[in-house]
Amino acid sequence: DSGVTQTPKHLITATGQRVTLRCSPRSGDLSVYWYQQSLDQGLQFLIQYYNGEERAKGNILERFSAQQFPDLHSELNLSSLELGDSALYFCASSVATGPSTDTQYFGPGTRLTVL
Amino acid sequence: AQKITQTQPGMFVQEKEAVTLDCTYDTSDPSYGLFWYKQPSSGEMIFLIYQGSYDQQNATEGRYSLNFQKARKSANLVISASQLGDSAMYFCAMRGGTYSGGGADGLTFGKGTHLIIQP
């Protein structure tokens, strides 16, 4: 158990809908990262938050957004869903106090199925 | 841009044998970190080992070691005495850029190697 929690574990929805994925980082971790894993794109970094502020952006679509709250939990919002958004979405967290200690620990993931 | 290449889509290995999973990387950053993660069929991503670009010695964590050859830009994972529970997908990943505090950019992953340990 990495200490990172994600809810829900599974999510099934229809095209055009909006969903919210939730992540709680490990105790003491200030940085949260979101990744998407799909068969055709592999594992892709989406976005990173550090202590409530957006820190880095990867291949995140404009239909997707995220935020990190004062208690450091994070939410990833996916809107106008398409079939191609079906994937395993991971949240990861890190301490972010120095490069040699900045290992990212992953949550169990949320499997999103868009029908 | 950073790139990770894992050239072995799949591998079959006999139990108790040593395994080497290949990883080559490309980056123009002078400072970077290399990671290996294991993804069992259950889906979670498990951190195995880390190697910093300025580390003088190869990283080791229990049965895992990283054969880091900086000039060749390779960071191969070696699993000694493989076990049936080692069957999983293995991903090599990189974090690059100049660390400026407050976390670092996301990881760039390779496509992975599917390792199957046979009894």
Side-chain angles (χ1 to χ4, degrees):
Chain A
D1 186 347
S2 67
V4 180
T5 61
Q6 289 186 249
T7 56
K9 194 171 177 62
H10 300 278
L11 198 47
I12 301 174
T13 189
T15 54
Q17 295 299 304
R18 172 189 169 95
V19 296
T20 297
L21 313 184
R22 183 188 168 104
C23 166
S24 292
R26 296 186 319 157
S27 176
D29 285 0
L30 297 178
S31 254
V32 168
Y33 308 77
W34 286 98
Y35 292 85
Q36 179 194 59
Q37 185 179 30
S38 62
L39 282 174
D40 51 346
Q41 299 289 333
L43 266 159
Q44 287 196 102
F45 165 64
L46 297 179
I47 196 165
Q48 179 211 352
Y49 277 79
Y50 172 73
N51 205 19
E53 298 202 357
E54 183 183 305
R55 175 78 180 175
K57 261 186 174 179
N59 298 322
I60 189 166
L61 299 172
E62 285 193 9
R63 300 183 285 110
F64 296 180
S65 65
Q67 54 184 328
Q68 186 179 28
F69 295 87
D71 66 352
L72 299 178
H73 91 270
S74 177
E75 293 180 355
L76 178 68
N77 301 296
L78 315 176
S79 62
S80 302
L81 285 168
E82 302 175 0
L83 295 177
D85 298 327
S86 295
L88 186 55
Y89 290 84
F90 286 108
C91 167
S93 72
S94 72
V95 174
T97 57
S100 63
T101 59
D102 198 34
T103 294
Q104 294 178 30
Y105 293 91
F106 282 69
T110 294
R111 184 165 296 281
L112 174 66
T113 302
V114 182
L115 302 176
Chain B
Q2 300 165 9
K3 187 176 180 181
I4 296 284
T5 302
Q6 295 181 253
T7 57
Q8 306 151 309
M11 287 184 72
F12 288 88
V13 173
Q14 289 295 119
E15 190 179 8
K16 298 179 185 173
E17 289 184 353
V19 181
T20 297
L21 305 181
D22 295 340
C23 172
T24 57
Y25 60 91
D26 191 22
T27 181
S28 57
D29 293 321
S31 175
Y32 50 88
L34 295 155
F35 302 80
W36 278 91
Y37 287 86
K38 172 184 179 181
Q39 187 176 38
S41 58
S42 51
E44 70 267 34
M45 294 286 288
I46 302 168
F47 166 71
L48 295 178
I49 197 166
Y50 164 82
Q51 180 85 42
S53 58
Y54 293 119
D55 292 344
Q56 295 296 313
Q57 293 189 326
N58 287 342
T60 60
E61 288 285 351
R63 293 187 300 113
Y64 304 108
S65 61
L66 204 151
N67 183 2
F68 181 48
Q69 298 188 42
K70 194 170 181 177
R72 294 187 176 186
K73 292 190 174 181
S74 75
N76 298 338
L77 176 70
V78 180
I79 307 174
S80 64
S82 59
Q83 303 170 356
L84 296 178
D86 294 332
S87 295
M89 283 291 292
Y90 288 81
F91 291 95
C92 180
M94 161 184 280
R95 169 183 47 76
T98 301
Y99 189 86
S100 58
D105 285 353
L107 299 171
T108 299
F109 282 88
K111 293 189 181 302
T113 295
H114 189 191
L115 175 65
I116 298 174
I117 307 297
Q118 297 176 312

